Amino acid sequence: MKANTTKQYLYRGDYYGYTTVTSADGLVTSRVYTTIPTEVSMALSVNLLGDLVIESETKMQLNGYIRNITDVNDDEIYADGQWKIFQTAPILGPMGIKSGYKYRATIISGNI
């Protein structure tokens, strides 16, 4: 599962972003997550700490969620897995920034 952005993406997942809502008096803010997911294409790898390393051309938010990751045959690779994105960065190459983004996500629920 080594990530390689020069090849076709082999995995798809459902991404849930959020909007920040502020109360009328401006004192309380909270996140409201979307109920309808956005399907994203991605390359995946796993680091030594067990975090999911994602490379994608889709821009995703910090603290967003990814679920239902499937391979090219629509087989779910982690049963009922849900990951929370905790790090984002641009993809860097030898000549500087390439197109796309690199994310790290940790599993918060599911079977692996």
Side-chain angles (χ1 to χ4, degrees), residues 2-15:
K2 182 163 174 44
N4 184 349
T5 57
T6 60
K7 295 184 179 179
Q8 183 178 4
Y9 291 118
L10 300 177
Y11 300 95
R12 289 189 312 267
D14 293 335
Y15 166 70

Side-chain angles (χ1 to χ4, degrees), residues 68-97:
N68 303 325
I69 298 176
T70 58
D71 62 9
V72 72
N73 298 322
D74 285 332
D75 294 327
E76 195 169 8
I77 59 169
Y78 295 104
D80 298 324
Q82 182 173 350
W83 288 266
K84 182 178 183 179
I85 298 171
F86 69 90
Q87 185 179 35
T88 66
I91 296 177
L92 299 175
M95 299 300 289
I97 297 176

